[in-house]
Amino acid sequence: HYEKHSQRWLKVPHSEGPDIWKGDAMAALRSESSLGEHESLEGLVKDITAMYRVLLRHLNYDSVRKIFARAFEEIASSFQQRLEQDIPAPSPPYSDSLGRSLGDRLLLDFAFLYRELEKLTGITTPLQRLLCDLVQHLQTKLPEDPPKKTHPVVLEALQRAGRLPQ
C-alpha cells in the first residue's frame, strides 16, 4: 500500500499549509491542529491502521510487531531510493523559508504519521525506528538546494514538541 500512496506523496506538491513558524511555533506543534501534511498520507494511515487491526485479530502482539518492523524497513528503503532520484520542488509551494522547503514539509508529514500511528500501541517501536530512518534518509539524501533542504531548527522543534521521536 505504501507504494500507491508514495507515488502521490512524492510526486504531487503539498498544498499551501499553515505558516506556524511566524507565530508561536511550539504552541502550534504541541496542539493537535494540522501542520499542513500531504493529503495522500491520510490514506496511508487508514491502510496501516486497517492492516494493524486485521492482523491483531488473528495474531499476537509480538507477531504483529515483527510484521510491521519488516514492512516499515521496506518503506524506509523505498523512501531512501526515491530520495536518490530527483523529487521536484516547485515554487510555490516550496521555498527556502523556515517550514516551507520540501524537506521541512516532509518532516511535518513524518510528524503527522507519528501522531496518527502512535495510537497503535503494538507497533510503537517499529514506528519510531521507521521515523528515525526516514529522518536520517532525508538528512543524508535530500539535496542541499534551498527549496529542498531541511532546516535543523524544524526537526529540533518537532522533537522537542514530542511530534517526532528523538
Side-chain angles (χ1 to χ4, degrees), residues 22-33:
K22 290 226 188 298
D24 185 355
M26 288 308 287
L29 291 174
R30 286 191 175 108
S31 76
E32 290 298 310
S33 61

Side-chain angles (χ1 to χ4, degrees), residues 69-133:
R70 197 169 322 118
F72 287 165
E73 284 172 15
E74 290 176 20
I75 287 173
S77 175
S78 178
F79 182 76
Q80 177 183 12
Q81 290 170 10
R82 184 66 181 97
L83 285 180
E84 290 170 353
Q85 302 166 12
D86 187 39
I87 298 178
S91 178
Y94 306 112
S95 72
D96 63 351
S97 300
L98 199 60
R100 294 286 184 199
S101 70
L102 173 63
D104 291 349
R105 295 300 298 271
L106 291 172
L107 287 172
L108 294 169
D109 289 345
F110 301 162
F112 170 76
L113 291 174
Y114 190 48
R115 184 185 74 201
E116 295 300 310
L117 296 175
E118 72 178 340
K119 302 166 191 164
L120 309 178
T121 55
I123 60 169
T124 302
T125 302
L127 175 63
Q128 290 174 344
R129 178 80 253 144
L130 168 66
L131 293 168
C132 289
D133 288 347

